[in-house]
Amino acid sequence: MDFNDLAAFLAVARAGGFRDAARAGGISASGLSAAVGRLEAKLGVRLLHRTTRSVAPTEAGARLIERLAPALSDVEAALDVLNRFRDKPAGTLKLNVPAGVARVVLPSILSAFLKAYPDIRVEVVVEDSFVDVLSAGCDAGIRYDERLEQDMIAIPIGARRQRFATAAAPGYLAARGRPEHPSELLSHACLRAQFAGGALPIWEFERDGEVVRVDPSGPLLVKPAAAMDLIIGSAIDGLGVIHFYEDLLRPHLDQGSLEAVLEPWWQHFSGPFLYYPGRRNLPAPLRAFVDLVKEGAL
């Protein structure tokens, strides 16, 4: 059995399609299709259901994935031992992160890491939903503490204290007035963001030990990963009040295109964590990333 054909099948199944797997692996979609076809011919069973829009494992394919994924991980770990004989580790590090982290936390971190380790290639999968990073084919994830997977090692990464900021365009505030208490947002046009999984987070504020939660309505509802710039742009255009990560709104607040409202009520929250499986031998690229994060170099 050709090892490359097995790896190609697993890559296509994880990516949910030949084109996405080809982009991730730097292999042509036709080459992956041929590899899966050879594997199915040798095994005598169909492993993937193929349509013009999607690819999904058959029952036989799903059973093979259950046994194949750990085995290939063991092979990759065995090959990774060779990194000990290099001056610097090489290979691929695949991270699963939410959109806000990709925009605010990762740029400076990845710049420092890739300069330190030029032989490592980093793949970043941006997802706001809760995922099993191993099943998704990733080495590690970055999430905030309330969305961490269990039975994982988690270490702080990035700024340790962040805030949600509330703001609106000067023109909107001139026309509608400036709220002085969070409860007044119920009478304002508010621009909402929804998690990919469907949850609509409540806006939460805190001052002098008093916590206020509001569930306002407004003219626009978006999912952050798909339309983060849209909701910020809509606030700048004067469509309503936005409640979002301060780091994302800060440039517009400094420029004056947005004005802060309810700032004494802005709530702090802890920064994100890098999390990964607690196995004894980490792949060399992940070990290098973890070591730099722990050293505080990132």
Side-chain angles (χ1 to χ4, degrees), residues 12 15-21 23 49-56:
V12 172
F18 289 93
R19 289 184 180 179
D20 288 341
R23 291 192 200 101
H49 292 299
R50 301 168 177 83
T51 69
T52 56
R53 294 186 177 182
S54 65
V55 171

Side-chain angles (χ1 to χ4, degrees), residues 103-236:
R103 287 283 300 274
V104 176
V105 179
L106 275 189
S108 60
I109 289 177
L110 288 184
S111 177
F113 179 69
L114 291 173
K115 287 177 182 177
Y117 297 99
D119 295 327
I120 292 178
R121 175 175 180 260
V122 178
E123 296 180 12
V124 179
V125 178
V126 179
E127 287 185 293
D128 283 302
S129 58
F130 180 80
V131 297
D132 181 333
V133 291
L134 295 183
S135 297
C138 296
D139 299 298
I142 300 177
R143 288 294 189 278
Y144 291 90
D145 54 0
E146 73 274 10
R147 298 181 67 82
L148 288 177
E149 292 186 50
Q150 295 182 352
D151 302 323
M152 291 278 181
I153 295 175
I155 59 174
I157 185 171
R160 297 322 308 144
R161 280 176 66 81
Q162 300 180 16
R163 290 194 300 178
F164 282 112
T166 311
Y172 174 89
L173 295 174
R176 297 288 299 271
R178 182 183 297 272
E180 300 296 335
H181 188 276
S183 62
E184 295 176 24
L185 291 172
L186 296 174
S187 61
H188 280 264
C190 294
L191 310 176
R192 304 294 299 273
Q194 186 177 24
F195 289 123
L200 186 61
I202 300 296
W203 290 8
E204 191 165 297
F205 301 86
E206 185 173 2
R207 183 180 185 182
D208 298 331
E210 179 187 359
V211 176
V212 178
R213 298 177 179 88
V214 296
D215 188 12
S217 61
L220 181 64
L221 174 66
V222 301
K223 294 185 178 182
M228 187 177 292
D229 292 331
L230 172 60
I231 191 172
I232 295 174
S234 298
I236 292 171

Side-chain angles (χ1 to χ4, degrees), residues 10 25 28 31 42 86 101 120 140 158 164 180 271 279:
L10 188 59
S28 69
K42 290 177 182 177
R86 295 189 177 99
V101 166
I120 292 178
F164 282 112
E180 300 296 335
R279 56 194 180 203

Side-chain angles (χ1 to χ4, degrees), residues 30-104:
S30 59
L32 288 172
S33 179
V36 174
R38 285 194 301 270
L39 185 62
E40 289 178 327
K42 290 177 182 177
L43 295 175
V45 294
R46 180 172 291 277
L47 300 174
L48 296 173
H49 292 299
R50 301 168 177 83
T51 69
T52 56
R53 294 186 177 182
S54 65
V55 171
T58 63
E59 183 178 356
R63 291 291 181 88
L64 179 59
I65 291 169
E66 290 177 4
R67 303 297 296 273
L68 182 61
L72 287 185
S73 294
D74 287 342
V75 172
E76 291 168 357
L79 294 174
D80 187 66
V81 171
L82 298 177
N83 270 308
R84 300 176 186 174
F85 299 93
R86 295 189 177 99
D87 292 336
K88 289 190 174 182
T92 298
L93 171 64
K94 194 168 183 178
L95 301 174
N96 189 291
V97 308
V101 166
R103 287 283 300 274
V104 176

